[in-house]
Amino acid sequence: ERLCSYNYQDFIHSVDELLAIRTNSADLKQNIITTNNLIQDSGRNLMVRAENLLDTKRIQANIDQSIDEISTCLFVVQKCDKVNDLIAEKRLYSALKLLDKLETQLLPNVVQYEWARYLFDKIPVLRQSILNQVTNEFNEWLSQIREYSERIGELAFSQTVYDLNQDHSIPFKNLIKSNSSSSSSTSSSSSSS
């Protein structure tokens, strides 16, 4: 009995310690569950923020790409406008060179757009229009030369006669005879052309 009495106190003390450990472990378990829930909530918030950050980066990349595309399109449109300005200023060679650059270098970069394909299809028509304009201006220039050359010839002849009249060493009658025969052959050749 003594032995039991002595061990009984230790037994009771051990049971009390076990009950305290059980209570502490229940509290510890509750603290772990609470901490786990807090970590889970923080993790979910972090995941949501990370997804938002990725979405924002994708949107920013799309915006940057759009800005680059718009800048390229704007550059091409400005060059098309420059072609129209050059044509209006009658700087047709420069317009043809820029038109060629548009066709070979600039428009292929934006051919995925409908307006670029439209411009690409209109380049041969515009080039032919420029060539027609150059041809017409050249023909007008030749016609004006033909008109003025006869008048210039008459003025040169008159000036030569005047100069020869000033120089008395050449007889005027001989000059008129030689010029009248050469002018009649010149007028017959120009009437045949």
Side-chain angles (χ1 to χ4, degrees):
E1 248 181 62
R2 258 190 329 62
L3 187 61
C4 278
S5 264
Y6 179 74
N7 287 334
Y8 180 71
Q9 285 297 337
D10 286 337
F11 177 73
I12 294 290
H13 183 61
S14 295
V15 169
D16 286 341
E17 282 181 10
L18 283 175
L19 286 176
I21 289 173
R22 182 177 163 194
T23 305
N24 286 342
S25 72
D27 289 344
L28 184 59
K29 182 180 177 184
Q30 188 59 39
N31 284 342
I32 290 172
I33 291 172
T34 303
T35 305
N36 184 37
N37 287 338
L38 289 173
I39 290 172
Q40 290 292 327
D41 289 342
S42 296
R44 278 189 216 99
N45 287 338
L46 184 61
M47 288 294 290
V48 167
R49 288 183 180 178
E51 287 175 6
N52 287 342
L53 180 63
L54 288 175
D55 287 343
T56 303
K57 285 187 176 186
R58 278 191 291 264
I59 289 170
Q60 183 179 1
N62 287 341
I63 289 172
D64 290 343
Q65 183 181 1
S66 297
I67 288 172
D68 290 343
E69 289 288 326
I70 288 171
S71 297
T72 302
C73 291
L74 183 61
F75 182 74
V76 171
V77 169
Q78 287 172 341
K79 293 303 176 188
C80 290
D81 192 41
K82 180 75 173 171
V83 168
N84 287 332
D85 291 344
L86 290 171
I87 292 171
E89 295 169 4
K90 304 274 185 185
R91 295 174 51 199
L92 302 176
Y93 179 73
S94 298
L96 280 174
K97 284 184 73 167
L98 186 54
L99 201 60
D100 185 52
K101 183 177 181 180
L102 272 169
E103 184 178 31
T104 59
Q105 297 173 9
L106 300 177
L107 281 176
N109 295 335
V110 291
V111 77
Q112 68 269 25
Y113 301 110
E114 183 68 30
W115 62 269
R117 287 191 296 272
Y118 175 79
L119 287 176
F120 200 78
D121 291 341
K122 292 298 177 182
I123 285 178
V125 174
L126 186 57
R127 182 179 290 121
Q128 188 59 45
S129 171
I130 292 171
L131 292 175
N132 289 343
Q133 187 175 351
V134 167
T135 303
N136 289 340
E137 287 179 10
F138 182 71
N139 288 339
E140 282 181 33
W141 180 72
L142 286 177
S143 175
Q144 288 175 350
I145 286 178
R146 219 176 285 129
E147 289 175 18
Y148 293 126
S149 65
E150 188 176 313
R151 178 71 182 135
I152 290 171
E154 289 174 3
L155 287 173
F157 181 73
S158 297
Q159 186 64 37
T160 304
V161 168
Y162 176 77
D163 289 344
L164 290 176
N165 282 337
Q166 297 299 324
D167 186 12
H168 296 295
S169 64
I170 301 175
F172 178 69
K173 291 182 181 179
N174 292 339
L175 180 66
I176 292 178
K177 286 181 185 177
S178 65
N179 280 337
S180 63
S181 64
S182 67
S183 82
S184 65
S185 65
T186 305
S187 61
S188 66
S189 66
S190 58
S191 65
S192 64
S193 47

